[in-house]
Amino acid sequence: PAPPTFVWADASGEGRSQVVWFRRELELAAAADEAWLHLFADSRYLLFVNGAVVASGPARFYPEHPEYDRVNLAPWLVAGRNTLAVQVLSYGTSSFQLRRTPGAFVTWGSVRAGGASHDLGTPGAWRCARDGGHDASAPRLSFALPPIEVYDARKARVDFLGGEPAASGWSPPTPLAAPQIWGELRPRSIPQLTAEWVAPKALRAAFALDDSEALLSFRVPVP
């Protein structure tokens, strides 16, 4: 089979603190018999199925040895209309977590339901839209960390989880010009993270905030 296609909102994937959403609509005649999605994103992703967060990743990696995730979508799919949405955050900077690389998104897999098969590979029927609510000039708290995430939902201007992807703001994703930046995709080598509530056993003390100092800061975006 042909290698999967890396895509983004443009051919370069360049930019600091860029967030791009990817949407795939599925109309199923019946509940899914089998549904597997394989995906990788640089730098981070959240996978939503019908509005629910299903997976996050990828595992920490070097560009030469990226690791993809394999997600069983069947428990979240229903007969009728379904929406797959992936929020991808590209840091576009180096840190002690990741080297500097362009933004990237790639998927393959299929859904079998009601005697029909639906291909999930990129670019395929996926659509993408930039999230203008993220501040690309947000500072770092430390040289070892990527930029912090500063978000203004008023600037998003797109309904990323609902609405119609045929509306303004959505477009077909663009194959990346230099996918050779990443080596051969391999399966995730460690388990997926879990999301569990851990309740505190007791509250030992509560203190008032120290308001004796006024903290001022500023930032100047530079090339």
Side-chain angles (χ1 to χ4, degrees), residues 7-95:
V7 298
W8 195 246
D10 58 68
S12 72
E14 296 291 342
R16 185 182 190 277
S17 295
Q18 301 294 306
V19 174
V20 176
W21 285 79
F22 296 86
R23 281 269 299 270
R24 176 71 164 84
E25 304 300 311
L26 285 170
E27 190 72 32
L28 302 181
D33 300 312
E34 188 175 49
W36 289 100
L37 177 68
H38 307 80
L39 73 162
F40 167 79
D42 198 337
S43 307
R44 297 284 182 259
Y45 80 80
L46 280 176
L47 167 63
F48 299 79
V49 180
N50 294 327
V53 176
V54 170
S56 63
R60 191 170 175 178
F61 64 94
Y62 285 108
E64 296 85 355
H65 304 288
E67 297 186 355
Y68 68 85
D69 293 334
R70 184 173 186 258
V71 183
N72 182 12
L73 303 178
W76 288 273
L77 297 175
V78 298
R81 182 177 179 179
N82 295 268
T83 298
L84 311 182
V86 186
Q87 180 198 51
V88 182
L89 165 62
S90 169
Y91 293 132
T93 61
S94 296
S95 70

Side-chain angles (χ1 to χ4, degrees), residues 8-207:
W8 195 246
D10 58 68
S12 72
E14 296 291 342
R16 185 182 190 277
S17 295
Q18 301 294 306
V19 174
V20 176
W21 285 79
F22 296 86
R23 281 269 299 270
R24 176 71 164 84
E25 304 300 311
L26 285 170
E27 190 72 32
L28 302 181
D33 300 312
E34 188 175 49
W36 289 100
L37 177 68
H38 307 80
L39 73 162
F40 167 79
D42 198 337
S43 307
R44 297 284 182 259
Y45 80 80
L46 280 176
L47 167 63
F48 299 79
V49 180
N50 294 327
V53 176
V54 170
S56 63
R60 191 170 175 178
F61 64 94
Y62 285 108
E64 296 85 355
H65 304 288
E67 297 186 355
Y68 68 85
D69 293 334
R70 184 173 186 258
V71 183
N72 182 12
L73 303 178
W76 288 273
L77 297 175
V78 298
R81 182 177 179 179
N82 295 268
T83 298
L84 311 182
V86 186
Q87 180 198 51
V88 182
L89 165 62
S90 169
Y91 293 132
T93 61
S94 296
S95 70
F96 281 19
Q97 297 177 5
L98 294 168
R99 298 212 307 258
R100 178 179 176 178
T101 47
F105 176 64
V106 59
T107 65
W108 66 98
S110 63
V111 176
R112 291 194 302 103
S117 180
H118 306 264
D119 180 49
L120 300 181
T122 48
W126 289 90
R127 293 294 181 267
C128 70
R130 291 185 181 275
D131 192 336
H134 283 264
D135 185 351
S137 65
R140 299 170 179 259
L141 289 179
S142 163
F143 66 91
L145 297 175
I148 64 175
E149 295 180 45
V150 179
Y151 189 70
D152 185 345
R154 297 170 297 182
K155 299 179 180 179
R157 298 190 180 94
V158 176
D159 184 356
F160 298 109
L161 293 176
E164 291 293 334
S168 176
W170 294 96
S171 61
T174 303
L176 283 173
Q180 67 273 15
I181 291 172
W182 297 272
E184 180 184 355
L185 286 162
R186 303 176 182 181
R188 173 187 274 263
S189 58
I190 60 175
Q192 275 270 357
L193 292 174
T194 60
E196 302 172 4
W197 288 106
V198 179
K201 293 183 178 180
L203 176 64
R204 296 297 186 185
F207 301 93

